[in-house]
Amino acid sequence: MKEKSVKRIISAIQMVITILCLLAAFATHNWDIGSTLRSEIPQGMIEGLVPMDPSGGDEFLEFKDFRFSEDGSRFYIGLIVNSPFNVSMTVEELSVELVMGSEVVEISLPSEVKVPNGGFASLDLEGEVPPTIELTDIDGASTSFRNMKMKLDIEGMKLEMVM
Amino acid sequence: MNLKKINWIGLIAGVLAISIPFLGPWWEFTFGTGAVHMSLSPFGVEMSMMGLPASGDALGSPLLSWLLLSIKLGIIYSGSLLLAGSILSASERHSSLSAIFVRFSSRRILWLVVSFILMILIGTMITNLAPDFLSPRVGGELPIQADLPYLVGSGEITAEMDSSVRFTAPIAMGLTYSFAVSVLAAALGVISRSGIKKSE
């Protein structure tokens, strides 16, 4: 009889611990079932990952400049990449086809570029000027971009885009 | 009181059981190289996203946090009973009480370890099978494919949209030394039980 009572008591204590914890969960949330079951992700954490300033809407990629090497054999396109994340990211690859009249030239990033947390970095794409093209032939109206390929590394996550 | 009759295996298991809630996570999961890091044990969940910590109620519901606390208190309680039962086995007068305490508490850690492993295995299995299972039901191939290891190892999650955007993230998971201590505590707990039976 005594043994049975001890067994009941030690089992009951275990049950009481669980029940008290359940009651405490509801009591600390004003007995509201919804707020006890649901979690709230702190606003600070979301803002920490992605800046929430709607006015600070910089384009992800901005055109900076277009220039030629001194001997005219190569050209460079300067771009600015604005990181939308509050973590650093690396632009591993970036290439684009430049259509100049009837000629198509691929230009690319010579080496990967690191973009600081929520900041920006300059990307200098370079390509070879085809011998059939005269520098004077190149103007904004006859030049266009297509087939942009980009590969980003964000804390080990690889994002590849074709635009 | 005869010290030779102390259930030493039970005593060690009891001390380990009391300490395991404080030894840290049992299992760790990393998404990317550190984009998401999650540490899990039956007593708590710790997570960081992009280096920012997320803890407490943010990870699950407040109810879950309190349930995890109840598991922690329950294991400390079981460990205390195992410890008390193992020491009481040295006393002729309290040998029956000792047997009750050890019988009640000795398998608790084992069930906890088994439940924890099953929970992770089931979670991984669901994640791996979900794309294949759901694809015919949504009328096409799902853009997400998961290749997660079971418990320990590395894998990859891939998502593809319109063949113009492709996302790949490496996954790594592993068990910690705290888990090894818990397995040891579970094994010693079971062994201590058979010791009680023999001494009766």
Side-chain angles (χ1 to χ4, degrees), chain A residues 3 6-7 9-11 13-14 17-18 21-22 24-26 28-29 35-42 44-45 48-49 87 154-162, chain B residues 31-35 49-50 52-54 57-58 60-63 66-67 69-70 73-74 77-78 81 96-97 100-101 104 108 163-170:
Chain A
E3 277 189 19
V6 173
K7 277 181 195 170
I9 290 166
I10 57 174
S11 299
I13 291 172
Q14 179 90 63
I17 289 171
T18 310
C21 284
L22 287 174
F26 286 98
T28 52
H29 288 80
S35 62
T36 310
L37 294 175
R38 247 181 285 120
S39 64
E40 285 173 19
I41 297 171
M45 187 177 168
L49 297 174
V87 287
I154 308 157
E155 296 279 328
M157 298 183 292
K158 309 273 184 190
L159 185 64
E160 292 175 60
M161 292 175 283
V162 179
Chain B
F31 186 84
T33 51
M49 286 174 74
M50 305 288 186
L52 294 168
D57 292 354
S61 66
L63 185 65
W66 283 95
L67 277 175
L69 177 67
S70 78
L73 294 174
Y77 172 64
S78 294
L81 283 180
S96 62
L97 192 63
I100 293 168
F101 281 5
F104 176 83
R108 302 265 155 169
S163 69
S164 60
V165 179
R166 186 182 159 83
F167 171 83
T168 315

Side-chain angles (χ1 to χ4, degrees), chain A residues 40-60:
Chain A
E40 285 173 19
I41 297 171
Q43 186 72 6
M45 187 177 168
I46 300 167
E47 286 175 3
L49 297 174
V50 183
M52 300 294 275
D53 180 13
S55 59
D58 286 331
E59 291 274 330
F60 179 64

Side-chain angles (χ1 to χ4, degrees), chain B residues 3-4 27 37 41 44 64 81 93 103 112 124 132 157 169:
Chain B
L3 287 181
K4 281 182 184 170
W27 182 75
H37 183 83
S41 81
L64 179 71
L81 283 180
R93 200 174 142 212
R103 272 203 200 101
L112 191 69
T124 309
D132 293 335
I157 281 189

